[in-house]
Amino acid sequence: MPNTPLVLYYDLETTGLNSDTDGILQLASHLVELNDTGQLHRIVKSHSLFMNPGVPCSTSARETHGITDEFVKGYPPPQEVIEGWLNSIREGLGLNRPILLSGHNSLSFDDKFLRRFVNFDREISACIDTYKLARRVVPDAPSMKLGDLYQQLTGLEPERAHDALGDVTMGVQILDHLLELSGLTAQQAADSMSVPVLLDCMPFGKFKGVRFQHLPAYHIKWCLGAHGMDMDVKHSAQLERHHRRPN
């Protein structure tokens, strides 16, 4: 099946939160084949790769994932590691197989780091963010965090949290459950990423958990004007502003 898509679920551990100035320390991924109905079938390749980004790791990031500057000192730079990763992904699979890149909160975080080294237009067919997919499939889940969502959907204790390989193992299972619950194929899930959904509550920040109808006007304005704002948040803020306007 030379044109059947493959899902490449990945996760990064980084030196910090700023994709412009921080760097990648670890990249892990599972390459997953789909069955005839577009659901996840089996993992065909796995990677867990370390690299030396050439910038120091922040204290908060190191406390989260435990990777030190000294540990990655002898590893190659990200460009070399990621090029080798892509070559390994493509090896033996055919150059025309579409890749559906997937991760958890990846559209807002991981993808921004990876785009510095990967031409998404050439290498990636579409993206699936399981954080955003969960909003669409299980909107009433008490938490959209990776470990919490994994436990809610599988009934199992989370794998090694904030270890890239443990995170992708949980992420693949989350994606599998979300596709099964929704009846979507992986390609349909990717297509759904471009359609905003209406959120009931603000999902992050100092007003996390507050209903949009109760947000102060200045925060609604911020949601609409902030660069790179989450598409669902912006859509919800736009509708709330419309509702507040006098007839």
Side-chain angles (χ1 to χ4, degrees):
M1 296 181 290
N3 293 318
T4 303
L6 295 151
V7 169
L8 179 58
Y9 200 104
Y10 85 109
D11 183 65
L12 304 177
E13 300 298 347
T14 65
T15 63
L17 301 177
N18 190 320
S19 60
D20 293 325
T21 58
D22 284 304
I24 302 171
L25 295 163
Q26 184 189 12
L27 182 157
S29 66
H30 288 321
L31 186 66
V32 187
E33 278 192 336
L34 305 178
N35 60 23
D36 292 340
T37 60
Q39 305 291 310
L40 303 190
H41 176 48
R42 67 187 179 100
I43 295 172
V44 293
K45 283 190 178 184
S46 297
H47 294 85
S48 179
L49 305 167
F50 290 94
M51 59 204 80
N52 182 358
V55 295
C57 186
S58 68
T59 300
S60 58
R62 185 171 61 252
E63 289 175 348
T64 298
H65 51 56
I67 303 172
T68 65
D69 297 332
E70 185 65 26
F71 178 81
V72 299
K73 188 176 180 179
Y75 285 94
Q79 186 68 55
E80 181 180 336
V81 174
I82 291 171
E83 284 181 3
W85 172 64
L86 287 175
N87 289 336
S88 177
I89 293 297
R90 289 296 188 186
E91 184 180 337
L93 296 175
L95 295 177
N96 296 322
R97 297 286 294 272
I99 296 291
L100 303 178
L101 188 69
S102 186
H104 198 73
N105 201 33
S106 51
L107 289 175
S108 298
F109 185 74
D110 304 78
D111 289 1
K112 293 179 181 180
F113 281 85
L114 194 62
R115 283 180 184 274
R116 290 164 53 185
F117 306 99
V118 176
N119 185 330
F120 273 41
D121 291 336
R122 185 181 67 226
E123 300 287 351
I124 305 302
S125 174
C127 297
I128 307 170
D129 187 330
T130 47
Y131 176 84
K132 295 185 184 299
L133 184 60
R135 282 182 184 168
R136 289 148 175 76
V137 180
V138 286
D140 297 326
S143 172
M144 296 294 176
K145 291 182 178 179
L146 181 75
D148 294 340
L149 198 58
Y150 173 81
Q151 190 167 24
Q152 292 158 31
L153 292 174
T154 68
L156 303 173
E157 287 295 318
E159 305 265 347
R160 295 171 294 172
H162 299 296
D163 168 80
L165 187 59
D167 287 351
V168 297
T169 299
M170 289 191 290
V172 166
Q173 294 184 62
I174 288 171
L175 179 57
D176 189 37
H177 277 77
L178 293 175
L179 294 179
E180 184 177 355
L181 286 170
S182 65
L184 296 173
T185 65
Q187 183 62 60
Q188 289 169 338
D191 294 341
S192 76
M193 296 294 101
S194 63
V195 181
V197 296
L198 181 63
L199 303 177
D200 185 38
C201 298
M202 189 70 191
F204 52 77
K206 66 179 180 179
F207 290 105
K208 181 178 180 179
V210 176
R211 292 179 180 274
F212 274 85
Q213 67 192 72
H214 296 148
L215 290 176
Y218 75 85
H219 198 70
I220 292 292
K221 183 178 180 180
W222 176 78
C223 290
L224 295 174
H227 177 69
M229 177 54 67
D230 181 290
M231 175 180 64
D232 298 334
V233 170
K234 191 169 186 177
H235 173 65
S236 304
Q238 286 173 333
L239 290 179
E240 180 56 31
R241 183 178 65 175
H242 177 74
H243 291 154
R244 293 184 187 187
R245 284 177 174 170
N247 295 327

